[in-house]
Each structure stands twice: as C-alpha cells, then as structure tokens.
Amino acid sequence: DLKLQFLYFIDKTLAHTSKMMMTFQRRFMTMARGADKTTFLLNWYANPYHTPIFVAKQKGWFEEEGIDLAVLETTNPSDVTEIIGNGAVPLGLKAMIHILAARDKGLHMTSVGTLLDEPPTGLLYKKSTKLESIEDIKGKRIGYIGHFGKVMVEDMAKQAGIPLDSFETVRVGMNVSDAIMRGVVDAGVGFTNFQRLELEEMTGEEAGLLRIDELNGLGCCCFCSIQYVANDKYLAGNEEKIAAFMRAVRRGTDFTIEFPEKAWEEMCIANPRLRTALYTKIFNRTLPYFSRTLLNVERDWNKVGAFCKHLNILESSFEPSEIYRNDLVPMMGTPSVQPITEGGVINKAATA
C-alpha cells in the first residue's frame, strides 16, 4: 500500500510539474513577443454574469495566451450589435436573438461560444400587481428592453386575443427594476437571476415572473442565451487569437464553477462596486446558467431561428448554422488514458 501511495504521489507530482512547465513556457513566450492589445465589449455594464471573463483577466490567463485584453462597458446595450458588426470593436457579448437579427440587417458577426445558457426571461412584476397570466396585462404599462422585447410582448398578446390598444408598452432598457419601482411601468421584461432580485431588493416585496419561453411553449429560454461573438472580418484573419481567447475564457469559466467564492472575490477586486449583498446574491443565482462547455447548442439555435421567423423579424433567408461555430472552443476534460475495453464497457454490453 505504501509503495502504491508513493507511486501515486510521484505520478501526481510529475503531472503537476509538467503543467507548471507548460504554463511557464507559455508565459515566457508571451513576454518575449509581447501581448497583443485586444478590445472586448460587454453587452451591459460589468456585472456578476461576466465573472468568468474578469477571472481570466485577473488570473493572467489572457496574457498567457498572448492577449492584452481591454474590457469595455456599454452605456446602451442596443449599440453593441452595430459596434461589433461594423468592426469598431472585434469581440464582445450578445444575446442569441440579436445575433440572428444582426445578420438579417447585413451586420456580420459570428458566435464563437456560449457564456450563459438559457437564463429564464419573462415579464417581471411585484406580487402586489397580481400579474398572474398574460391576460392580466390589460390596462397595464409593460416595459421592454429593446425592439425585440416589444415584438415578443405584442405577439403574446395577439396569441391570447388581447387588443394591442388595451395595454401600453414602454421602452425602459435594461433598467426595468428601477422603472417598476418608480411606477413608470407595472411590469417589464427581465431575467429571473438578475432584475427579479434587484426588484425584490428595491421594493422589499416578493417579485413574480411570467416566463416567455413557457407562455410560448418554446421548451427553452435560449433566445436570451448570451454568446461570445466576433466580427466576421476580424474572425477570418485572427482565428488562432480567438481560439486563444476562448482557452482563457474556458479556464475562467471552470474556475468560476469549481471555486465560486474565490471567483467572486476576483470579480469584486476588479469591480469593487459589486461587493454588495445584492450582487453577491445575483452571482450565486447566476451560477447554474454558466455554460459548462462554452459550445453553441444546435437545438437552441434552431429553436431561436424558428421563433424569429414566427415573430416575422427576419426578412432574409439564412440558416442559423451559418452564424455560429464550435471549432474554436477548447475541448477540455479529455481522458488521459485509453479505456481498458475498446469502445467502452457500455458499448460492448450493447453489442453482446
């Protein structure tokens, strides 16, 4: 037993040493050639669901990949699509439905990976508002983030036979919680892991959510999945750099999922204003939605494409598969040894 333990210790030590040498070599090569300044545009202000990106930056993992990453925040999330699509900034984040709409407008960007998988999105309201079904929007003011939010709300009303003049839609951007608290709107489109918690904190009252995916029978909230996107022209000439970016982001994501408390501390060091009880709660509520693989999900893209056609927001004809790719996402977690039984024991039993 002692001999086995010793051999195991030696094996783990050698593996760790090898990993450290690879890291040192990568850092040395980066220092020798200098890291390339690369700009990355967030889809909103820096907040808890951007944690993996900031963890990778704080830990120096972008630098190890030869990237000096400048993270930019936007004051208007609606501007991000055009800024990246026109190439003013090469990389950033955007929701799945907006990437499809961008291609329809002739703005060329490609999703190269996934940050957040299906964060539940819907009509947010204070419980005292008594918005228990879509029919209850009659006589109320409904807030929406951007154009597509308005289209979705009006489409649900049409499906339910609710006259569009029986309620009012108001554009409030991402600040739906504040708009509800101030009485500008009675309800509005928001995330369950973000604005719902914000509203409860602001009002001291329980908040409810009518999920859009459930009202529409979509089977997923994938239209609001947050994707890593690249301008197509930049992508064509910088595939290796984007692959390096995704390797760093994957390390940041894995660290966030495996060591959430340490990851959140890194996020707060980078963004001290987030060190509050509310943002900590938002981070913890967001953890289940971080993509474990960073891969684009074919099923989700197909569903969102079909949903966009239902909403009549796409005029041109193209396949969702044309605007995403997975070959730049690092394949982590592969076995270090070959299975004893060729094909695996389950496959062997199935063919026996």
Side-chain angles (χ1 to χ4, degrees):
D1 287 347
L2 288 174
K3 183 178 180 180
L4 287 174
Q5 289 179 19
F6 177 74
L7 290 173
Y8 176 78
F9 173 77
I10 293 297
D11 182 61
K12 295 294 287 186
T13 301
L14 288 173
H16 181 68
T17 303
S18 176
K19 186 175 181 180
M20 288 181 64
M21 288 297 294
M22 288 177 64
T23 299
F24 176 78
Q25 184 181 27
R26 190 177 294 170
R27 284 183 174 172
F28 179 79
M29 293 295 291
T30 297
M31 291 173 63
R33 68 173 183 267
D36 293 332
K37 178 70 74 175
T38 304
T39 49
F40 183 87
L41 183 61
L42 301 176
N43 59 326
W44 198 16
Y45 70 86
N47 69 68
Y49 68 70
H50 298 134
T51 297
I53 300 162
F54 282 92
V55 166
K57 184 172 174 61
Q58 288 289 105
K59 291 286 188 181
W61 293 332
F62 287 116
E63 290 185 357
E64 285 184 24
E65 297 290 351
I67 298 171
D68 179 8
L69 192 71
V71 181
L72 309 179
E73 299 177 273
T74 179
T75 55
N76 184 355
S78 297
D79 292 338
V80 175
T81 306
E82 189 168 344
I83 290 172
I84 297 175
N86 287 334
V89 174
L91 301 170
L93 294 172
K94 204 62 189 164
M96 196 177 278
I97 194 169
H98 296 127
I99 302 168
L100 284 159
R103 175 60 61 90
D104 188 61
K105 291 180 181 178
L107 296 170
H108 290 273
M109 63 178 69
T110 296
S111 171
V112 293
T114 301
L115 169 65
L116 281 186
D117 269 329
E118 303 180 34
T121 309
L123 295 182
L124 179 68
Y125 61 93
K126 294 186 296 182
K127 279 296 181 75
S128 59
T129 305
K130 300 187 185 304
L131 191 71
E132 298 175 1
S133 70
I134 192 66
E135 285 77 12
D136 293 330
I137 67 173
K138 294 176 184 177
K140 292 184 173 63
R141 295 157 300 169
I142 308 299
Y144 62 91
I145 298 171
H147 172 67
F148 302 116
K150 177 180 172 68
V151 171
M152 283 190 279
V153 170
E154 292 183 346
D155 174 71
M156 289 187 294
K158 290 176 184 176
Q159 291 184 60
I162 301 170
L164 298 185
D165 60 2
S166 67
F167 64 96
E168 181 184 356
T169 53
V170 182
R171 184 167 187 158
V172 297
M174 298 289 278
N175 302 312
V176 62
S177 310
D178 181 66
I180 293 173
M181 185 193 71
R182 291 187 292 111
V184 175
V185 295
D186 301 296
V189 178
F191 287 169
T192 191
N193 58 306
F194 202 108
Q195 287 91 348
R196 186 176 189 171
L197 299 176
E198 264 189 338
L199 183 59
E200 290 178 340
E201 177 78 10
M202 290 176 174
T203 63
E205 181 181 340
E206 186 181 355
L209 189 81
L210 289 178
R211 287 179 53 158
I212 292 173
D213 60 316
E214 293 177 352
L215 291 169
N216 278 301
L218 295 175
C220 74
C221 229
C222 39
F223 57 89
C224 276
S225 291
I226 306 299
Q227 311 299 128
Y228 293 102
V229 293
N231 171 271
D232 281 359
K233 186 175 180 180
Y234 181 84
L235 174 59
N238 294 275
E239 288 192 357
E240 180 48 45
K241 182 185 286 188
I242 295 174
F245 171 87
M246 294 303 296
R247 286 195 296 271
V249 163
R250 177 61 190 263
R251 292 176 72 181
T253 303
D254 288 348
F255 187 89
T256 299
I257 293 169
E258 294 175 23
F259 307 102
E261 292 182 0
K262 293 180 180 179
W264 182 237
E265 177 60 22
E266 294 288 355
M267 184 64 175
C268 290
I269 291 172
N271 302 276
R273 60 181 168 74
L274 298 181
R275 198 183 291 278
T276 68
L278 173 60
Y279 282 122
T280 301
K281 186 183 293 185
I282 290 172
F283 170 72
N284 289 328
R285 193 70 64 87
T286 301
L287 275 171
Y289 304 111
F290 286 124
S291 173
R292 266 52 179 174
T293 65
L294 274 63
L295 293 170
N296 287 277
V297 182
E298 181 181 10
R299 178 211 66 169
D300 292 357
W301 277 102
N302 289 337
K303 282 198 173 192
V304 176
F307 186 43
C308 287
K309 290 178 182 177
H310 162 76
L311 295 173
N312 292 316
I313 60 175
L314 299 181
E315 295 181 4
S316 55
S317 179
F318 59 88
E319 292 299 319
S321 59
E322 297 175 28
I323 57 175
Y324 73 87
R325 51 190 288 187
N326 282 324
D327 59 308
L328 302 179
V329 176
M331 297 295 105
M332 298 260 185
T334 54
S336 58
V337 296
Q338 291 298 313
I340 297 170
T341 301
E342 186 177 353
V345 294
I346 294 177
N347 288 335
K348 182 179 180 182
T351 57

mmCIF file of all heavy atoms in Angstrom, residues 44-84:
data_model
loop_
_atom_site.group_PDB
_atom_site.id
_atom_site.type_symbol
_atom_site.label_atom_id
_atom_site.label_comp_id
_atom_site.label_asym_id
_atom_site.label_seq_id
_atom_site.Cartn_x
_atom_site.Cartn_y
_atom_site.Cartn_z
ATOM 1 N N TRP A 44 -23.415 44.900 -21.423
ATOM 2 C CA TRP A 44 -24.012 45.787 -20.436
ATOM 3 C C TRP A 44 -22.877 46.236 -19.538
ATOM 4 O O TRP A 44 -21.715 46.002 -19.866
ATOM 5 C CB TRP A 44 -25.079 45.023 -19.664
ATOM 6 C CG TRP A 44 -26.075 45.851 -18.904
ATOM 7 C CD1 TRP A 44 -26.322 47.194 -19.062
ATOM 8 C CD2 TRP A 44 -26.969 45.400 -17.882
ATOM 9 N NE1 TRP A 44 -27.313 47.589 -18.211
ATOM 10 C CE2 TRP A 44 -27.721 46.518 -17.471
ATOM 11 C CE3 TRP A 44 -27.201 44.163 -17.268
ATOM 12 C CZ2 TRP A 44 -28.700 46.431 -16.471
ATOM 13 C CZ3 TRP A 44 -28.165 44.078 -16.290
ATOM 14 C CH2 TRP A 44 -28.911 45.193 -15.893
ATOM 15 N N TYR A 45 -23.189 46.893 -18.425
ATOM 16 C CA TYR A 45 -22.111 47.221 -17.501
ATOM 17 C C TYR A 45 -21.581 45.920 -16.875
ATOM 18 O O TYR A 45 -22.281 44.915 -16.813
ATOM 19 C CB TYR A 45 -22.576 48.212 -16.437
ATOM 20 C CG TYR A 45 -23.558 47.663 -15.415
ATOM 21 C CD1 TYR A 45 -23.103 47.013 -14.270
ATOM 22 C CD2 TYR A 45 -24.939 47.820 -15.573
ATOM 23 C CE1 TYR A 45 -23.983 46.516 -13.316
ATOM 24 C CE2 TYR A 45 -25.838 47.335 -14.629
ATOM 25 C CZ TYR A 45 -25.354 46.689 -13.503
ATOM 26 O OH TYR A 45 -26.234 46.206 -12.567
ATOM 27 N N ALA A 46 -20.343 45.951 -16.392
ATOM 28 C CA ALA A 46 -19.752 44.756 -15.783
ATOM 29 C C ALA A 46 -20.602 44.317 -14.603
ATOM 30 O O ALA A 46 -20.857 45.091 -13.681
ATOM 31 C CB ALA A 46 -18.327 45.049 -15.334
ATOM 32 N N ASN A 47 -21.048 43.067 -14.626
ATOM 33 C CA ASN A 47 -21.944 42.573 -13.585
ATOM 34 C C ASN A 47 -21.653 41.092 -13.324
ATOM 35 O O ASN A 47 -20.802 40.497 -13.995
ATOM 36 C CB ASN A 47 -23.407 42.824 -13.976
ATOM 37 C CG ASN A 47 -23.853 41.981 -15.138
ATOM 38 O OD1 ASN A 47 -23.964 40.760 -15.033
ATOM 39 N ND2 ASN A 47 -24.104 42.611 -16.284
ATOM 40 N N PRO A 48 -22.324 40.468 -12.353
ATOM 41 C CA PRO A 48 -21.967 39.097 -11.954
ATOM 42 C C PRO A 48 -21.897 38.071 -13.063
ATOM 43 O O PRO A 48 -21.084 37.140 -12.972
ATOM 44 C CB PRO A 48 -23.068 38.750 -10.938
ATOM 45 C CG PRO A 48 -23.385 40.064 -10.296
ATOM 46 C CD PRO A 48 -23.328 41.057 -11.421
ATOM 47 N N TYR A 49 -22.718 38.197 -14.118
ATOM 48 C CA TYR A 49 -22.641 37.140 -15.135
ATOM 49 C C TYR A 49 -21.461 37.312 -16.088
ATOM 50 O O TYR A 49 -21.255 36.491 -16.979
ATOM 51 C CB TYR A 49 -23.969 36.919 -15.859
ATOM 52 C CG TYR A 49 -24.511 37.999 -16.773
ATOM 53 C CD1 TYR A 49 -23.912 38.298 -17.988
ATOM 54 C CD2 TYR A 49 -25.696 38.662 -16.466
ATOM 55 C CE1 TYR A 49 -24.438 39.233 -18.849
ATOM 56 C CE2 TYR A 49 -26.252 39.592 -17.323
ATOM 57 C CZ TYR A 49 -25.612 39.885 -18.511
ATOM 58 O OH TYR A 49 -26.157 40.821 -19.371
ATOM 59 N N HIS A 50 -20.651 38.335 -15.873
ATOM 60 C CA HIS A 50 -19.402 38.496 -16.627
ATOM 61 C C HIS A 50 -18.201 37.953 -15.847
ATOM 62 O O HIS A 50 -17.053 38.096 -16.290
ATOM 63 C CB HIS A 50 -19.154 39.975 -16.944
ATOM 64 C CG HIS A 50 -20.217 40.605 -17.797
ATOM 65 N ND1 HIS A 50 -20.767 41.837 -17.520
ATOM 66 C CD2 HIS A 50 -20.839 40.162 -18.913
ATOM 67 C CE1 HIS A 50 -21.669 42.134 -18.436
ATOM 68 N NE2 HIS A 50 -21.728 41.129 -19.295
ATOM 69 N N THR A 51 -18.450 37.324 -14.711
ATOM 70 C CA THR A 51 -17.370 36.880 -13.823
ATOM 71 C C THR A 51 -16.291 36.051 -14.516
ATOM 72 O O THR A 51 -15.089 36.303 -14.305
ATOM 73 C CB THR A 51 -17.951 36.107 -12.621
ATOM 74 O OG1 THR A 51 -18.784 37.002 -11.858
ATOM 75 C CG2 THR A 51 -16.852 35.565 -11.722
ATOM 76 N N PRO A 52 -16.615 35.036 -15.334
ATOM 77 C CA PRO A 52 -15.546 34.226 -15.942
ATOM 78 C C PRO A 52 -14.532 35.041 -16.744
ATOM 79 O O PRO A 52 -13.338 34.718 -16.750
ATOM 80 C CB PRO A 52 -16.311 33.250 -16.850
ATOM 81 C CG PRO A 52 -17.652 33.123 -16.203
ATOM 82 C CD PRO A 52 -17.955 34.499 -15.675
ATOM 83 N N ILE A 53 -14.993 36.102 -17.395
ATOM 84 C CA ILE A 53 -14.108 36.937 -18.209
ATOM 85 C C ILE A 53 -13.120 37.678 -17.309
ATOM 86 O O ILE A 53 -11.911 37.718 -17.574
ATOM 87 C CB ILE A 53 -14.931 37.935 -19.045
ATOM 88 C CG1 ILE A 53 -15.886 37.184 -19.977
ATOM 89 C CG2 ILE A 53 -14.025 38.869 -19.842
ATOM 90 C CD1 ILE A 53 -17.021 38.019 -20.511
ATOM 91 N N PHE A 54 -13.641 38.257 -16.234
ATOM 92 C CA PHE A 54 -12.776 39.015 -15.327
ATOM 93 C C PHE A 54 -11.860 38.102 -14.526
ATOM 94 O O PHE A 54 -10.731 38.489 -14.192
ATOM 95 C CB PHE A 54 -13.632 39.896 -14.410
ATOM 96 C CG PHE A 54 -14.135 41.135 -15.088
ATOM 97 C CD1 PHE A 54 -15.376 41.139 -15.716
ATOM 98 C CD2 PHE A 54 -13.368 42.284 -15.119
ATOM 99 C CE1 PHE A 54 -15.846 42.279 -16.357
ATOM 100 C CE2 PHE A 54 -13.822 43.435 -15.758
ATOM 101 C CZ PHE A 54 -15.062 43.436 -16.389
ATOM 102 N N VAL A 55 -12.313 36.900 -14.206
ATOM 103 C CA VAL A 55 -11.445 35.936 -13.520
ATOM 104 C C VAL A 55 -10.243 35.612 -14.408
ATOM 105 O O VAL A 55 -9.087 35.614 -13.943
ATOM 106 C CB VAL A 55 -12.215 34.648 -13.164
ATOM 107 C CG1 VAL A 55 -11.248 33.521 -12.782
ATOM 108 C CG2 VAL A 55 -13.175 34.900 -12.015
ATOM 109 N N ALA A 56 -10.518 35.342 -15.689
ATOM 110 C CA ALA A 56 -9.423 35.026 -16.614
ATOM 111 C C ALA A 56 -8.452 36.189 -16.748
ATOM 112 O O ALA A 56 -7.234 35.993 -16.842
ATOM 113 C CB ALA A 56 -10.002 34.649 -17.984
ATOM 114 N N LYS A 57 -8.994 37.401 -16.724
ATOM 115 C CA LYS A 57 -8.122 38.582 -16.819
ATOM 116 C C LYS A 57 -7.319 38.775 -15.533
ATOM 117 O O LYS A 57 -6.105 39.012 -15.578
ATOM 118 C CB LYS A 57 -8.967 39.828 -17.107
ATOM 119 C CG LYS A 57 -8.162 41.101 -17.314
ATOM 120 C CD LYS A 57 -9.041 42.237 -17.792
ATOM 121 C CE LYS A 57 -8.283 43.558 -17.852
ATOM 122 N NZ LYS A 57 -7.147 43.512 -18.796
ATOM 123 N N GLN A 58 -7.971 38.655 -14.380
ATOM 124 C CA GLN A 58 -7.292 38.829 -13.096
ATOM 125 C C GLN A 58 -6.195 37.788 -12.892
ATOM 126 O O GLN A 58 -5.138 38.075 -12.326
ATOM 127 C CB GLN A 58 -8.306 38.733 -11.953
ATOM 128 C CG GLN A 58 -9.241 39.927 -11.820
ATOM 129 C CD GLN A 58 -8.536 41.156 -11.302
ATOM 130 O OE1 GLN A 58 -8.268 42.084 -12.049
ATOM 131 N NE2 GLN A 58 -8.206 41.153 -10.018
ATOM 132 N N LYS A 59 -6.454 36.562 -13.334
ATOM 133 C CA LYS A 59 -5.510 35.462 -13.148
ATOM 134 C C LYS A 59 -4.352 35.494 -14.153
ATOM 135 O O LYS A 59 -3.414 34.693 -14.054
ATOM 136 C CB LYS A 59 -6.238 34.122 -13.267
ATOM 137 C CG LYS A 59 -7.206 33.822 -12.127
ATOM 138 C CD LYS A 59 -6.457 33.449 -10.870
ATOM 139 C CE LYS A 59 -7.364 32.953 -9.777
ATOM 140 N NZ LYS A 59 -6.621 32.611 -8.535
ATOM 141 N N GLY A 60 -4.429 36.371 -15.137
ATOM 142 C CA GLY A 60 -3.354 36.457 -16.122
ATOM 143 C C GLY A 60 -3.441 35.424 -17.230
ATOM 144 O O GLY A 60 -2.478 35.210 -17.971
ATOM 145 N N TRP A 61 -4.615 34.789 -17.372
ATOM 146 C CA TRP A 61 -4.738 33.718 -18.363
ATOM 147 C C TRP A 61 -4.839 34.252 -19.790
ATOM 148 O O TRP A 61 -4.443 33.569 -20.721
ATOM 149 C CB TRP A 61 -5.923 32.816 -18.009
ATOM 150 C CG TRP A 61 -5.669 32.056 -16.732
ATOM 151 C CD1 TRP A 61 -4.452 31.684 -16.235
ATOM 152 C CD2 TRP A 61 -6.633 31.607 -15.777
ATOM 153 N NE1 TRP A 61 -4.591 31.017 -15.041
ATOM 154 C CE2 TRP A 61 -5.922 30.956 -14.734
ATOM 155 C CE3 TRP A 61 -8.025 31.678 -15.701
ATOM 156 C CZ2 TRP A 61 -6.559 30.385 -13.636
ATOM 157 C CZ3 TRP A 61 -8.665 31.116 -14.602
ATOM 158 C CH2 TRP A 61 -7.943 30.473 -13.585
ATOM 159 N N PHE A 62 -5.360 35.458 -19.960
ATOM 160 C CA PHE A 62 -5.337 36.058 -21.299
ATOM 161 C C PHE A 62 -3.896 36.382 -21.687
ATOM 162 O O PHE A 62 -3.478 36.145 -22.820
ATOM 163 C CB PHE A 62 -6.190 37.335 -21.341
ATOM 164 C CG PHE A 62 -7.671 37.090 -21.314
ATOM 165 C CD1 PHE A 62 -8.441 37.536 -20.257
ATOM 166 C CD2 PHE A 62 -8.301 36.414 -22.345
ATOM 167 C CE1 PHE A 62 -9.808 37.315 -20.225
ATOM 168 C CE2 PHE A 62 -9.666 36.179 -22.330
ATOM 169 C CZ PHE A 62 -10.426 36.635 -21.253
ATOM 170 N N GLU A 63 -3.138 36.912 -20.745
ATOM 171 C CA GLU A 63 -1.739 37.244 -21.026
ATOM 172 C C GLU A 63 -0.940 35.999 -21.387
ATOM 173 O O GLU A 63 -0.061 36.048 -22.261
ATOM 174 C CB GLU A 63 -1.113 37.941 -19.814
ATOM 175 C CG GLU A 63 -1.649 39.334 -19.575
ATOM 176 C CD GLU A 63 -0.941 40.040 -18.446
ATOM 177 O OE1 GLU A 63 -0.063 39.405 -17.813
ATOM 178 O OE2 GLU A 63 -1.244 41.222 -18.200
ATOM 179 N N GLU A 64 -1.223 34.898 -20.705
ATOM 180 C CA GLU A 64 -0.536 33.642 -21.040
ATOM 181 C C GLU A 64 -0.803 33.238 -22.485
ATOM 182 O O GLU A 64 0.014 32.558 -23.115
ATOM 183 C CB GLU A 64 -0.994 32.518 -20.108
ATOM 184 C CG GLU A 64 -0.418 32.606 -18.717
ATOM 185 C CD GLU A 64 -0.827 31.417 -17.869
ATOM 186 O OE1 GLU A 64 -1.137 30.341 -18.434
ATOM 187 O OE2 GLU A 64 -0.840 31.550 -16.633
ATOM 188 N N GLU A 65 -1.966 33.641 -22.996
ATOM 189 C CA GLU A 65 -2.324 33.320 -24.380
ATOM 190 C C GLU A 65 -1.882 34.407 -25.359
ATOM 191 O O GLU A 65 -2.236 34.370 -26.536
ATOM 192 C CB GLU A 65 -3.843 33.127 -24.488
ATOM 193 C CG GLU A 65 -4.399 31.955 -23.682
ATOM 194 C CD GLU A 65 -3.998 30.609 -24.248
ATOM 195 O OE1 GLU A 65 -3.432 30.565 -25.368
ATOM 196 O OE2 GLU A 65 -4.235 29.583 -23.571
ATOM 197 N N GLY A 66 -1.131 35.388 -24.871
ATOM 198 C CA GLY A 66 -0.637 36.446 -25.746
ATOM 199 C C GLY A 66 -1.628 37.544 -26.008
ATOM 200 O O GLY A 66 -1.530 38.259 -27.016
ATOM 201 N N ILE A 67 -2.613 37.713 -25.095
ATOM 202 C CA ILE A 67 -3.670 38.700 -25.286
ATOM 203 C C ILE A 67 -3.666 39.708 -24.141
ATOM 204 O O ILE A 67 -3.771 39.334 -22.969
ATOM 205 C CB ILE A 67 -5.057 38.022 -25.359
ATOM 206 C CG1 ILE A 67 -5.124 37.076 -26.560
ATOM 207 C CG2 ILE A 67 -6.168 39.065 -25.432
ATOM 208 C CD1 ILE A 67 -6.377 36.208 -26.584
ATOM 209 N N ASP A 68 -3.543 40.973 -24.482
ATOM 210 C CA ASP A 68 -3.696 42.056 -23.509
ATOM 211 C C ASP A 68 -5.130 42.568 -23.691
ATOM 212 O O ASP A 68 -5.403 43.411 -24.536
ATOM 213 C CB ASP A 68 -2.675 43.163 -23.786
ATOM 214 C CG ASP A 68 -2.804 44.326 -22.810
ATOM 215 O OD1 ASP A 68 -3.578 44.214 -21.840
ATOM 216 O OD2 ASP A 68 -2.150 45.364 -23.039
ATOM 217 N N LEU A 69 -6.054 42.023 -22.885
ATOM 218 C CA LEU A 69 -7.482 42.273 -23.101
ATOM 219 C C LEU A 69 -7.939 43.556 -22.420
ATOM 220 O O LEU A 69 -7.778 43.733 -21.221
ATOM 221 C CB LEU A 69 -8.311 41.098 -22.591
ATOM 222 C CG LEU A 69 -9.791 41.110 -23.012
ATOM 223 C CD1 LEU A 69 -9.915 40.802 -24.506
ATOM 224 C CD2 LEU A 69 -10.597 40.104 -22.194
ATOM 225 N N ALA A 70 -8.538 44.444 -23.208
ATOM 226 C CA ALA A 70 -9.186 45.647 -22.682
ATOM 227 C C ALA A 70 -10.695 45.403 -22.708
ATOM 228 O O ALA A 70 -11.286 45.240 -23.777
ATOM 229 C CB ALA A 70 -8.829 46.861 -23.539
ATOM 230 N N VAL A 71 -11.298 45.341 -21.523
ATOM 231 C CA VAL A 71 -12.733 45.072 -21.416
ATOM 232 C C VAL A 71 -13.485 46.400 -21.370
ATOM 233 O O VAL A 71 -13.229 47.236 -20.501
ATOM 234 C CB VAL A 71 -13.054 44.240 -20.155
ATOM 235 C CG1 VAL A 71 -14.548 43.961 -20.073
ATOM 236 C CG2 VAL A 71 -12.270 42.929 -20.171
ATOM 237 N N LEU A 72 -14.403 46.585 -22.305
ATOM 238 C CA LEU A 72 -15.180 47.826 -22.403
ATOM 239 C C LEU A 72 -16.621 47.579 -21.977
ATOM 240 O O LEU A 72 -17.200 46.537 -22.261
ATOM 241 C CB LEU A 72 -15.165 48.355 -23.845
ATOM 242 C CG LEU A 72 -13.787 48.503 -24.519
ATOM 243 C CD1 LEU A 72 -13.964 49.020 -25.941
ATOM 244 C CD2 LEU A 72 -12.887 49.434 -23.717
ATOM 245 N N GLU A 73 -17.198 48.559 -21.297
ATOM 246 C CA GLU A 73 -18.607 48.502 -20.919
ATOM 247 C C GLU A 73 -19.413 49.400 -21.852
ATOM 248 O O GLU A 73 -18.899 50.392 -22.372
ATOM 249 C CB GLU A 73 -18.797 48.965 -19.471
ATOM 250 C CG GLU A 73 -18.064 48.117 -18.454
ATOM 251 C CD GLU A 73 -18.218 48.645 -17.042
ATOM 252 O OE1 GLU A 73 -17.402 49.509 -16.655
ATOM 253 O OE2 GLU A 73 -19.136 48.209 -16.337
ATOM 254 N N THR A 74 -20.685 49.064 -22.037
ATOM 255 C CA THR A 74 -21.543 49.883 -22.883
ATOM 256 C C THR A 74 -22.581 50.608 -22.034
ATOM 257 O O THR A 74 -23.046 50.068 -21.025
ATOM 258 C CB THR A 74 -22.264 49.028 -23.948
ATOM 259 O OG1 THR A 74 -23.105 49.872 -24.747
ATOM 260 C CG2 THR A 74 -23.128 47.952 -23.292
ATOM 261 N N THR A 75 -22.932 51.819 -22.443
ATOM 262 C CA THR A 75 -23.996 52.546 -21.755
ATOM 263 C C THR A 75 -25.359 52.212 -22.344
ATOM 264 O O THR A 75 -26.379 52.415 -21.699
ATOM 265 C CB THR A 75 -23.765 54.066 -21.852
ATOM 266 O OG1 THR A 75 -23.623 54.436 -23.236
ATOM 267 C CG2 THR A 75 -22.499 54.466 -21.109
ATOM 268 N N ASN A 76 -25.354 51.676 -23.569
ATOM 269 C CA ASN A 76 -26.604 51.302 -24.227
ATOM 270 C C ASN A 76 -26.424 49.930 -24.874
ATOM 271 O O ASN A 76 -25.777 49.812 -25.915
ATOM 272 C CB ASN A 76 -26.992 52.333 -25.284
ATOM 273 C CG ASN A 76 -28.339 52.025 -25.932
ATOM 274 O OD1 ASN A 76 -28.956 50.991 -25.659
ATOM 275 N ND2 ASN A 76 -28.812 52.918 -26.773
ATOM 276 N N PRO A 77 -26.995 48.879 -24.285
ATOM 277 C CA PRO A 77 -26.833 47.526 -24.829
ATOM 278 C C PRO A 77 -27.249 47.398 -26.294
ATOM 279 O O PRO A 77 -26.725 46.547 -27.017
ATOM 280 C CB PRO A 77 -27.739 46.678 -23.927
ATOM 281 C CG PRO A 77 -27.785 47.431 -22.640
ATOM 282 C CD PRO A 77 -27.787 48.879 -23.034
ATOM 283 N N SER A 78 -28.171 48.228 -26.739
ATOM 284 C CA SER A 78 -28.644 48.142 -28.130
ATOM 285 C C SER A 78 -27.564 48.535 -29.126
ATOM 286 O O SER A 78 -27.656 48.197 -30.311
ATOM 287 C CB SER A 78 -29.880 49.033 -28.321
ATOM 288 O OG SER A 78 -30.945 48.587 -27.514
ATOM 289 N N ASP A 79 -26.534 49.259 -28.671
ATOM 290 C CA ASP A 79 -25.467 49.699 -29.576
ATOM 291 C C ASP A 79 -24.460 48.593 -29.884
ATOM 292 O O ASP A 79 -23.732 48.676 -30.876
ATOM 293 C CB ASP A 79 -24.701 50.878 -28.958
ATOM 294 C CG ASP A 79 -25.537 52.151 -28.871
ATOM 295 O OD1 ASP A 79 -26.513 52.260 -29.635
ATOM 296 O OD2 ASP A 79 -25.211 53.013 -28.036
ATOM 297 N N VAL A 80 -24.409 47.570 -29.042
ATOM 298 C CA VAL A 80 -23.352 46.562 -29.142
ATOM 299 C C VAL A 80 -23.368 45.847 -30.492
ATOM 300 O O VAL A 80 -22.318 45.618 -31.096
ATOM 301 C CB VAL A 80 -23.466 45.544 -27.990
ATOM 302 C CG1 VAL A 80 -22.452 44.417 -28.152
ATOM 303 C CG2 VAL A 80 -23.264 46.249 -26.651
ATOM 304 N N THR A 81 -24.566 45.492 -30.962
ATOM 305 C CA THR A 81 -24.679 44.759 -32.230
ATOM 306 C C THR A 81 -24.012 45.517 -33.371
ATOM 307 O O THR A 81 -23.215 44.958 -34.126
ATOM 308 C CB THR A 81 -26.164 44.508 -32.576
ATOM 309 O OG1 THR A 81 -26.800 43.871 -31.478
ATOM 310 C CG2 THR A 81 -26.286 43.633 -33.812
ATOM 311 N N GLU A 82 -24.321 46.803 -33.489
ATOM 312 C CA GLU A 82 -23.765 47.596 -34.584
ATOM 313 C C GLU A 82 -22.272 47.843 -34.406
ATOM 314 O O GLU A 82 -21.510 47.805 -35.378
ATOM 315 C CB GLU A 82 -24.507 48.935 -34.682
ATOM 316 C CG GLU A 82 -24.147 49.724 -35.928
ATOM 317 C CD GLU A 82 -25.078 50.896 -36.160
ATOM 318 O OE1 GLU A 82 -26.170 50.937 -35.557
ATOM 319 O OE2 GLU A 82 -24.700 51.771 -36.962
ATOM 320 N N ILE A 83 -21.838 48.073 -33.178
ATOM 321 C CA ILE A 83 -20.417 48.343 -32.923
ATOM 322 C C ILE A 83 -19.555 47.151 -33.331
ATOM 323 O O ILE A 83 -18.529 47.308 -34.006
ATOM 324 C CB ILE A 83 -20.195 48.682 -31.431
ATOM 325 C CG1 ILE A 83 -20.813 50.054 -31.116
ATOM 326 C CG2 ILE A 83 -18.705 48.688 -31.087
ATOM 327 C CD1 ILE A 83 -20.829 50.388 -29.642
ATOM 328 N N ILE A 84 -19.980 45.941 -32.956
ATOM 329 C CA ILE A 84 -19.212 44.748 -33.319
ATOM 330 C C ILE A 84 -19.427 44.395 -34.787
ATOM 331 O O ILE A 84 -18.485 44.050 -35.505
ATOM 332 C CB ILE A 84 -19.591 43.561 -32.415
ATOM 333 C CG1 ILE A 84 -19.232 43.871 -30.969
ATOM 334 C CG2 ILE A 84 -18.878 42.277 -32.871
ATOM 335 C CD1 ILE A 84 -19.671 42.821 -29.970
#
